[in-house]
Amino acid sequence: MSSSNYKKKQNKNTKALFSIICLCIISLGLIVYFSTSSKNNNPVNEPTTIVETTEVQHAVTVKETTTAEPETQENDETEATTVPTSMPLGDGNTPYKSYYQYPLGEEIIKGYTKELVMDNTMGDFRAHTAVDFSGNEGDEVLAINDGLVCDVYTDPKYGLCVEIDHGGELVAKYCGLESANVKTGDFVDIGNPIGNLGVVPCESADGIHLHFVTNVGSNSVNPLDVMGKTE
């Protein structure tokens, strides 16, 4: 074979080898490209997106639930109304400026006085800072005005007593009851029955009656003056 022919044949082989190498490189590039594209579009990543969405929704739900709890607590607190320590002052329950109901009839057996008078039961002289209204055992005793029941208790001298705050610092004490149908914290309207008449132990010699006391602040006041009544 001549030198010229040998060189031509060698050039053809070189070109063929180069072409094969180029095809291999192109094929490898295509394989890498499609492999990367397929991996990026792989639906395996979708659950991650679903999980994130679920967590966000859960967080919102928890936040809404947490927000709702204080409202429930506020409602509970509203329903559980705290009893005030004094009636609010108003036009309808201000001492000396309102109509007052007699607590038990209009017959008085002993009036109000700060002077010393004879106590037939105790056998001594003492002030009588109350008004005693005559009645019969079991008679209904009425609230002289709207008010808040401050206390219900038994006193060794005055028997079963009911104290009612009638507003404007006026507190009335209904003493000598046989029974009470109100309890501490109850609100009463004017004329409501608060109990039934019984005995006043320290004034038993005076018969069945209501021993009725009124105080405005720390001062003892004649109940008839408070109610605008006369003997």
Side-chain angles (χ1 to χ4, degrees):
M1 180 181 295
S2 64
S3 175
S4 176
N5 290 335
Y6 176 77
K7 288 182 179 180
K8 288 180 179 180
K9 186 176 181 179
Q10 190 175 15
N11 288 337
K12 286 182 180 181
N13 291 337
T14 302
K15 289 180 179 180
L17 180 61
F18 180 76
S19 297
I20 290 171
I21 292 172
C22 288
L23 287 174
C24 290
I25 292 172
I26 292 171
S27 298
L28 181 60
L30 290 174
I31 290 171
V32 172
Y33 171 77
F34 284 112
S35 175
T36 304
S37 176
S38 175
K39 184 178 295 185
N40 290 336
N41 295 326
N42 193 346
V44 173
N45 289 330
E46 291 181 1
T48 303
T49 304
I50 294 173
V51 171
E52 290 175 355
T53 304
T54 304
E55 289 176 352
V56 171
Q57 290 175 349
H58 177 67
V60 172
T61 302
V62 171
K63 184 177 181 180
E64 291 175 353
T65 304
T66 304
T67 304
E69 287 179 354
E71 294 178 359
T72 303
Q73 292 175 354
E74 290 176 1
N75 291 337
D76 291 340
E77 291 175 0
T78 303
E79 290 174 2
T81 306
T82 303
V83 177
T85 56
S86 179
M87 278 284 291
L89 183 61
D91 293 337
N93 61 359
T94 304
Y96 312 105
K97 296 182 181 180
S98 174
Y99 171 76
Y100 288 83
Q101 165 78 49
Y102 275 105
L104 179 70
E106 298 182 19
E107 183 180 352
I108 297 172
I109 62 173
K110 187 181 290 187
Y112 178 95
T113 180
K114 291 185 178 181
E115 296 180 1
L116 299 181
V117 294
M118 182 65 183
D119 186 305
N120 296 324
T121 305
M122 305 303 292
D124 59 12
F125 287 85
R126 61 183 63 197
H128 188 260
T129 53
V131 171
D132 291 347
F133 291 93
S134 179
N136 298 309
E137 189 170 358
D139 284 351
E140 284 188 335
V141 177
L142 310 177
I144 62 171
N145 210 321
D146 301 343
L148 169 67
V149 178
C150 302
D151 202 0
V152 179
Y153 60 93
T154 299
D155 184 277
K157 292 183 179 180
Y158 297 101
L160 180 61
C161 303
V162 172
E163 290 189 13
I164 300 179
D165 181 344
H166 290 292
E169 297 187 309
L170 169 62
V171 176
K173 299 180 182 181
Y174 304 73
C175 306
L177 302 181
E178 179 183 53
S179 61
N181 51 21
V182 294
K183 63 183 183 301
T184 302
D186 285 350
F187 286 95
V188 296
D189 295 325
I190 182 172
N192 282 171
I194 62 171
N196 299 94
L197 192 61
V199 177
V200 180
C202 70
E203 296 178 344
S204 59
D206 296 329
I208 302 298
H209 66 275
L210 174 70
H211 184 83
F212 186 62
V213 179
T214 51
N215 293 318
V216 176
S218 59
N219 300 317
S220 171
V221 182
N222 188 333
L224 296 180
D225 291 341
V226 170
M227 298 187 293
K229 312 293 185 182
T230 58
E231 292 191 50

